[in-house]
Amino acid sequence: MTFANDTVEALESAVFLANSELEPDTLTTLDELRTFFTRFGYTGPLPTEKDLKEVRAIRTGLRELFLSTRDGAVPIVNEILENQRALPQLVRHGDVDWHIHATHDDRPLAERILVESAMAMIDVIRADEMSRFSHCLMDDCGGVVFDMSRNRSKKYCTVTCTNRAAQAAFRARQL
């Protein structure tokens, strides 16, 4: 299944954000939030301290969304869209061609992240592709894995966990 670029980008950024809550927490400062904002190409005003608090508060809910079943994800998506009064519209900005926004750039960043994530999850749910999300296989990690590979072979949430697993396998072979 191929998803639109904006769908994949929204899901990648939201999974990154959800995983930032794990120890060590990697979203504790305004600079870290602004780096996230820039890395994932968010538009609108630069985040503030208020945004930091609000974005940190949505991470657990995003984790629950990504790790739920298809039927479990539907009410979460619907609640997000209803609570944020999402109104899907086609937009074009910068060098990005027509795509869907369901909230405006002047809305709080946490709201925009939630709405973009919910809109992206609509595509995932409709395509019956919830298997693209799983738990990281590293024993001491609770990260969310978002796997867009063709053969769905991604097992770890980050390069760090992938490297740790490879090191552990290497050590086991040396015994």
Side-chain angles (χ1 to χ4, degrees):
M1 176 72 197
T2 302
F3 294 111
N5 287 342
D6 60 324
T7 296
V8 174
E9 289 170 2
L11 294 172
E12 287 175 342
S13 69
V15 167
F16 180 90
L17 183 61
N19 286 338
S20 74
E21 184 176 34
L22 302 172
E23 291 300 324
D25 190 330
T26 57
L27 187 66
T28 59
T29 68
L30 184 56
D31 284 341
E32 290 167 336
L33 180 59
R34 288 182 173 170
T35 298
F36 166 83
F37 179 87
T38 303
R39 175 180 174 185
F40 289 104
Y42 283 94
T43 55
L46 278 177
T48 64
E49 287 290 339
K50 181 180 179 200
D51 289 314
L52 176 62
K53 181 179 178 186
E54 292 171 352
V55 169
R56 287 177 51 81
I58 66 172
R59 297 182 298 177
T60 300
L62 288 172
R63 292 178 59 71
E64 291 170 6
L65 172 61
F66 297 135
L67 296 175
S68 65
T69 63
R70 184 181 188 205
D71 288 343
V74 170
I76 298 170
V77 167
N78 287 340
E79 182 179 354
I80 290 169
L81 296 174
E82 181 178 350
N83 288 347
Q84 306 304 328
R85 295 191 173 109
L87 179 62
Q89 298 178 356
L90 286 168
V91 296
R92 182 169 50 188
H93 51 81
D95 59 353
V96 181
D97 202 6
W98 291 110
H99 59 285
I100 297 173
H101 279 201
T103 191
H104 295 283
D105 285 350
D106 62 351
R107 301 299 303 154
L109 180 58
E111 176 182 317
R112 291 185 281 147
I113 293 169
L114 283 172
V115 169
E116 286 183 15
S117 300
M119 293 297 293
M121 287 300 292
I122 289 171
D123 288 347
V124 172
I125 292 165
R126 290 179 64 212
D128 196 10
E129 292 282 344
M130 289 298 292
S131 63
R132 297 283 181 184
F133 300 97
S134 63
H135 285 92
C136 181
L137 290 185
M138 196 69 202
D139 289 340
D140 60 346
C141 181
V144 175
V145 176
F146 175 49
D147 186 358
M148 285 302 296
S149 67
R150 282 189 191 173
N151 64 357
R152 298 177 194 216
S153 60
K154 189 171 179 184
K155 299 176 183 177
Y156 304 102
C157 62
T158 63
V159 172
T160 301
C161 283
T162 302
N163 290 342
R164 288 177 54 218
Q167 288 173 348
F170 175 79
R171 287 187 193 117
R173 288 191 304 271
Q174 300 305 306
L175 295 178

